[in-house]
Structures are given as C-alpha cells and as structure tokens.
Amino acid sequence: MKDQVTVIGVGCTKFGDNFDQSYEDLVVEAAQAAFADAGIEPERIEAAWLGTFSPHAGHGKASVSLGDALRLYGKPISRVENYCATGTDAFRHAAMAVAAGVYDVVLVVGAEKLKDRSVRGLASDGRHPYRDDGLTAPGMFAMAANRYFHQFGGGREALARVAVKNHHNGSLNPKAHFQMRVTEEQVLKAPLVAWPFGLYDCCPTTDGAAAAILCRADLARQFRADPIRVKGIGLAVTSGRPWYDSAFDYVGFEATRAASRQAYRMAGVADPVKEVDLAEVHDCFTWTEITNYEDLGFCGKGEGMRFIGEGRSALGGDLPVNPSGGLKSFGHPIGASGVRMIYEVATQLRGQAGPRQVPGAELGLVHNLGGPGAVACVVLLGQ
Amino acid sequence: MKDQVTVIGVGCTKFGDNFDQSYEDLVVEAAQAAFADAGIEPERIEAAWLGTFSPHAGHGKASVSLGDALRLYGKPISRVENYCATGTDAFRHAAMAVAAGVYDVVLVVGAEKLKDRSVRGLASDGRHPYRDDGLTAPGMFAMAANRYFHQFGGGREALARVAVKNHHNGSLNPKAHFQMRVTEEQVLKAPLVAWPFGLYDCCPTTDGAAAAILCRADLARQFRADPIRVKGIGLAVTSGRPWYDSAFDYVGFEATRAASRQAYRMAGVADPVKEVDLAEVHDCFTWTEITNYEDLGFCGKGEGMRFIGEGRSALGGDLPVNPSGGLKSFGHPIGASGVRMIYEVATQLRGQAGPRQVPGAELGLVHNLGGPGAVACVVLLGQ
C-alpha cells in the first residue's frame, strides 16, 4: 500500500465546548474545509467513512448521518469504530479501499460531540469489567503510571513537563480547545483526579470534527502539487483486559509496539528517531505520552522521562511530539482525534503550521491508542 | 477487485434462543468452524473484522472481544457497523483489505446476542426521529407495504406466500432458528403486529454468529480446490430519513437499487435474472423480500407479487430466493446476518446445501438492508 494513496485535502473545526454546533454542523464544517483545501466539489467523493465512537449509546451518529449532513446520497458510507483509535482506523480503511483500486477519491470524517451529555460509561460495552469494577480511564492509566514510577523512578514532575509542553503548543494553535500556557507549578498544584494525575494531566472532554480526502497517488497531482503520501499503516489489538492480564507489566502498551512495527515495516523506517520528523501521539494522560515515546521506539523503556526532560519532544527538539497541543490541549472528541492528528501532520508536512511549524518536516507519525490500552493504530505520512 | 479475493472457509452457529452461549461462545464456534472448513490454523489469520451492531449500548461487543475470544493478539482487528447491513459491510472491508494487498488471509465474524435483553431502541442513535415519534421497524415497513398495495393492488395473501416459502426452506435447514413449516392460513390468522404484518410476516429476535475466511485469489488453491470468488460488491447510503423524505415513494428502496448497480457493474452482470442462480436477501418483513425482488432487478416495480406467486423465487424456481430460510426463518442477529448469508451462498455454490440445494448454482447474490431502508450492501459470489 506504501505510496499508493495520498491525502489531498484536510479540514478541522475549532475543538472545544461547541454548544452552538450540532453533530452535523461539525461534520459539515470539517468536510467542507477539506473539500476547499483539496479544491474539489463534493460530487467527486466516491465513498466515505465516518469515525465515531458510540452512536447507539447516544454519542455521535452513524453512517446515514454523514450522508444526510453532506447530501452524499447513493454512495458507500461506512462507520468504523475502534475505541479511542476510531479516527485513525477509519482513515486506515479509507486508505485500503483506495489502494484496492475500488475508489479513486474518498472522504473520511472523524466526529464526536461529547459536551451535550455525560461521558460516564463511555468505555462500557454493556458487561464491561472496568465499569463493573468502578474503574475509570484516569484510574486505570494512573495505576500504570504509579507502577512505572515504582520501576523506573521519577514522579509527577516528569508528567508536568508533558502538560507544560503540550499546553505551550496548544497556545500556538487557534483550533485547540485550550490555548493557555501552564507552569509546572500550576500543574503540580492542580486538584488531583487520580494519583499521580492532577487536572492538567488529563485530556479534556471536547466536541470536534476533522476530515481528510484521500486520492489514488497517480491521480493526486490533478488536484494539487503537494499531495501527502501514506507511507505506512499499522493496527494492533492486544488483550482487551490488559489491566487484568498477569502478563501485563503496567509500564507500556504492546498494542503500540506492534502497530508501530507494522507501520515502520511498510514504510521502510529503520530508525524512527532519525527518520520521523514529528509525531502526534495519544496523550490521553501525560503519562501515556511518556510511555508512547518508548513504545514507538523514540527511546528505550524507562527513558521517556529523560526524553521529555531533555526537551527532545518539544518544538525545537529533535523529534517534536504533539506540536498541535495533543489531546491534552487540543482536546479529545473520541472519533475525531485520529483524523485531527492526520490534519495536523498534513499541515506540518506542507509547512503551513505557522508558529508551531516543525521546520523541514518530511515524515510525520500519527498514533492513536484505545481499548483502553488494547488497541493502537499508527499512520506514517510523508512527502 | 473482481476475482482478486476468494472465500476459502465459512462457519455458522445454530441460530436461535442461544441462552446457553455467551457472545464469545458464539464468536468462537463460528470462527472455529470457518478455520476447520478452510483447513487452516488460526495463526494464519493476519487481520480480522467484527461486524456487530451496538456494543456500547450493550448489544454485542467491540474489536477487543474478538481478539480475546480467539486469542488473536497483536494483529489488526476492526469493528464495522452499518445498521442491519453491518455483516455484509464488514465482509466488504475485509475483501477490500485483501484486494489492497495489505493482507493475504483474513477473518470476518458477524455476531449478535439479542435474546439476553430487550431490543427496544435498537435502531436508536440517541436523538432519532423514529424513536422520538414512536415508530418501530414493523411500523415503518408496514407503512410502505400499505402504500405498495395501494399503488399496485394485492394484499396480505402475497406476503403470506413469502412466509410460507421461507418457513418451508428453513424447515430444511438444521441451523435455522425456526424449522417449522407454516400454511398460508396460519400466516393470515396469526396475531397482527402492524397491519398488514402479522406475526409470521416479521423476522424474529435471534442470537447467532457466522464467520468467513478470505484469501488472495492467487493463493487460494493452497488451501482448497474450490475457493469461492468475490465477483462484485456494492454499498449505497440514501437519506437516513426516507420515511420523512418527500421524494420517497414508499414502494421500494433506492439504496438497494444503487448498491446492486455497483455490484452488477463490478461483476459484469448484465441480466441478473438470467445470471444470478440464487439470492439471499434481507427479508426483515415479508414485504421487504417482495420489494427486494424489484429493487435488485429480478422483476419490474410492482411485479414482485407475481414473482413470488408464480413460484419463481421458490426452491425449484428459476431464481430461488432465501433458500436458507431467510431472516424470516433463519433469524436476524443483526451483525451476524450478512455473514450468515455469505455462509449460505458459499455452501450453495459448493453444492453442499443438502435438501435445500439449488442445483448447479454458479453465481449467488447476498443483500443486506439497514438504516432502516437507507443502507444496502450487495455481494456477488461465484465460482
């Protein structure tokens, strides 16, 4: 599939408390921005994918809602769901359909409207051990962070550096949910959510949508001179109950390791630290970003705190991570996040990211984690 | 994509009131039957798809449940959802991934466990006009059936013929939910659900799972001498609110017409009546099967009652429809149904359908309808 599929347009709404926009408003705004960016009419779209988490529990909508919102009738529209990795997996399916030669130009939209109702029970599948046991996402990831500190030393100061960095990046991003900087002291003194996570260690609850238009590589220059190429994609699912699995070491996620191995292999990436110029990774909690550095091969296991401490993942570092602001500051409307990361990496690769631009970016990585911790999707985009 | 992808194994549980089986039990039984049918070990599976409707509302499960049930770890597993067309759309995505050259051997499982809880609100997406207006699936399709009779004449006797045929076929099928024959008199005297539908005009609420193993066509003969080829696939989405759309004529479904056009074009089918040897179609209600005949091009609009009346869709007719017994008698565990239809058509094309065998079947059609009425997926399988 490498180099057979390109991204010719991207769009993204402002993320935030979008009480004045319906789910359909968000979908239309993101898709129309992508149409305009690609310079195409909606009629050119041959098939579409909607990445949204849970329409039938009242969060998000299903395939016909995308068709109705965009008047995209008589065409194939599918919904893909894979927990918090929903957006990237929807993108993956759109890319495979183009690579299969079934369609030339397709649309993927990720969207979620979370602020209109409680997110309690979002990660439930009806008879879910986490919910039954009263476990929440912060609680689960906090257990892992504590184990990580027990094994490798360090503590909340390392987490605070991630929050400070991502809030700084978000302050440069007019579409981010939170655009204010925070200090390490503010982060450490914030109300606790689940030790070691305080308020600024957790991503917010957010509304938003993002869209991308994919095109067969050999047709892409009909639309624009600088299409972005899909270099590699990987998806991996591990046990759905890592937190109950005696083989789980609580210090990282095999799903991320396996998905990134698949993507690196497809793209021919031998050394991600040298070859990847920037990464948008799944920082649902500050600790998750630290373990992601390690699981994605940016550094060894246990070295993530040093990686952030030395400023290597900051804007200006040798491998900027979450220049957008990340889930932490950009927000995390579940199904939208993966497509929003595609939007950011495409924007960076085109050199259009303004004050948060990573100079000379040629290869970017997108990483979504869900399940929780059991599903990871990695996409590599390049020029 | 035509002829690039084959089906090398299929499996299906007994459908019915499977109170003694969990969701995972159903998934494992269907998948292991497919592994045995293909003569492969589960380790050969490179990626998997789960077609299931609504895990996050408590019906079905999500991707990690398939991984856990089958110990399929470290590999890509995705959930695809498209209302009642979920199963066929999951199959479509598996086929496109193989056609893209990303994977050689993949698994698709459709599963749903509906009997453990109420199906009330199943078709809801939170702010759904149908539910808000008190509309149910029988009520909606009944409105269309009444309009159809108003326009073309005929009445409940035509519907009863579908019920009698499909119950007859189901009586020959040891995996069907209902294996008893009914007479036209029994159907007409059954308690009314929503005029003109009586009890025997409505498909039941059912538990079940089905599985298929897909393989690159050029590798298929490593596994078996008689792989089934994917000849054509189509998916179409129309307005999600056809019942409120002033352009909707209430006598058929444009989604089915558009999806079948796509599939016929890919397969090179010019005259479905002459070329298709059997069809498994979405008979959620008896009237739906009649309009499907027309929308799939088996006869003209308004001629469906004559099509069934002349016995053309019966076993022994020139285009047997639902030899399995259909949703009517085999049951309709939402995400499972499309894959179950793939199972039936593959079984027929191999000549292994026993007393319900369609002699000399070489090209079979699968049709799923959902949304309700807004989404249709059509798959053509051949030798």
Side-chain angles (χ1 to χ4, degrees), chain A residues 1 4 22-24 47 49 53-65 67-68 72-83 89 92-93 95-97 99-103 113 116-117 121-127 233 235-241 245 254 258-259 262 266 371 374-375, chain B residues 1 4 22-24 47 49 53-65 67-68 72-83 89 92-93 95-97 99-103 113 116-117 121-127 233 235-241 245 254 258-259 262 266 371 374-375:
Chain A
M1 183 159 67
Q4 292 177 10
S22 69
Y23 183 89
E24 288 77 8
W49 279 260
F53 178 65
S54 191
H56 304 290
H59 309 278
K61 296 285 182 81
S63 64
V64 296
S65 300
D68 275 335
L72 207 64
Y73 294 137
K75 297 178 179 181
I77 307 177
S78 300
R79 183 170 82 93
V80 170
E81 180 272 325
N82 224 336
Y83 300 91
D89 201 10
R92 169 177 168 262
H93 280 88
M96 289 195 294
V102 182
Y103 314 108
K113 190 143 177 60
D116 289 353
R117 52 189 296 159
L122 258 184
S124 161
D125 65 2
R127 287 182 301 177
I233 301 188
L235 174 73
V237 173
T238 61
S239 170
R241 304 180 181 194
D245 183 348
E254 174 57 24
Q262 293 170 24
M266 188 184 290
V375 181
Chain B
M1 184 159 67
Q4 291 178 11
S22 70
Y23 183 90
E24 288 77 8
W49 280 260
F53 178 65
S54 190
H56 305 291
H59 308 278
K61 297 284 182 83
S63 65
V64 296
S65 299
D68 275 336
L72 208 64
Y73 293 137
K75 296 177 180 181
I77 308 176
S78 300
R79 184 170 82 92
V80 170
E81 180 273 325
N82 226 336
Y83 300 91
D89 200 11
R92 169 177 167 263
H93 280 88
M96 290 195 294
V102 182
Y103 313 108
K113 191 145 177 58
D116 288 355
R117 52 187 297 157
L122 258 184
S124 160
D125 64 5
R127 287 181 301 178
I233 302 188
L235 173 73
V237 173
T238 60
S239 169
R241 305 181 179 192
D245 183 348
E254 174 58 24
Q262 293 171 23
M266 188 185 291
V375 181

Side-chain angles (χ1 to χ4, degrees), chain A residues 82-366:
Chain A
N82 224 336
Y83 300 91
C84 290
T86 290
T88 35
D89 201 10
F91 179 87
R92 169 177 168 262
H93 280 88
M96 289 195 294
V98 172
V102 182
Y103 314 108
D104 293 339
V105 181
V106 306
L107 170 71
V108 55
V109 176
E112 215 89 42
K113 190 143 177 60
L114 298 180
K115 298 294 293 193
D116 289 353
R117 52 189 296 159
S118 161
V119 292
R120 199 167 162 275
L122 258 184
S124 161
D125 65 2
R127 287 182 301 177
H128 201 290
Y130 310 133
R131 192 180 64 171
D132 294 349
D133 294 355
L135 275 176
T136 63
M140 281 188 283
F141 282 87
M143 284 198 293
N146 283 317
R147 175 70 204 178
Y148 181 93
F149 291 141
H150 175 78
Q151 190 160 337
F152 299 112
R156 297 187 68 221
E157 292 73 16
L159 304 182
R161 287 187 194 104
V162 176
V164 170
K165 169 180 76 72
N166 290 355
H167 272 280
H168 168 83
N169 295 353
S171 76
L172 306 173
N173 193 336
K175 289 184 186 290
H177 189 166
F178 296 132
Q179 299 175 30
M180 87 290 193
R181 301 185 188 193
V182 295
T183 64
E184 192 170 317
E185 188 186 4
Q186 279 176 302
V187 176
L188 293 172
K189 285 189 173 170
L192 276 176
V193 173
W195 181 273
F197 299 152
L199 188 63
Y200 293 110
D201 292 296
C202 307
C203 72
T205 300
T206 302
D207 301 327
I213 294 166
L214 287 74
C215 176
R216 261 176 54 185
D218 55 343
L219 302 177
R221 287 186 194 274
Q222 292 179 13
F223 300 99
R224 64 186 308 145
D226 58 348
I228 304 297
R229 287 174 184 270
V230 178
K231 295 287 184 181
I233 301 188
L235 174 73
V237 173
T238 61
S239 170
R241 304 180 181 194
W243 315 90
Y244 292 87
D245 183 348
S246 57
F248 180 49
D249 59 14
Y250 276 71
V251 296
F253 297 104
E254 174 57 24
T256 297
R257 294 189 283 270
S260 61
R261 279 195 301 269
Q262 293 170 24
Y264 293 147
R265 192 184 316 123
M266 188 184 290
V269 168
D271 183 346
V273 185
K274 287 188 182 156
E275 297 174 63
V276 174
D277 296 309
L278 79 148
E280 286 286 319
V281 309
H282 199 92
D283 58 326
C284 48
F285 302 96
T286 47
W287 173 75
T288 323
E289 178 166 320
I290 290 176
T291 191
N292 289 340
Y293 300 155
E294 303 165 0
D295 295 332
L296 291 166
F298 298 169
C299 61
K301 185 49 71 185
E303 297 173 5
M305 291 182 288
R306 199 169 69 199
F307 195 81
I308 175 88
E310 292 174 350
R312 297 183 62 187
S313 55
L315 278 174
D318 64 319
L319 208 174
V321 174
N322 287 327
S324 68
L327 308 187
K328 175 80 264 306
S329 146
F330 205 99
H332 181 30
I334 307 178
S337 282
V339 186
R340 190 275 303 162
M341 292 167 161
I342 300 283
Y343 166 88
E344 174 68 15
V345 169
T347 303
Q348 291 277 355
L349 293 176
R350 291 187 199 154
Q352 296 171 340
R356 66 184 194 281
Q357 179 67 43
V358 176
E362 293 180 0
L363 185 67
L365 180 146
V366 163

Side-chain angles (χ1 to χ4, degrees), chain B residues 18-31:
Chain B
N18 298 13
F19 292 114
D20 58 334
Q21 289 184 297
S22 70
Y23 183 90
E24 288 77 8
D25 289 338
L26 293 169
V27 164
V28 168
E29 184 183 326

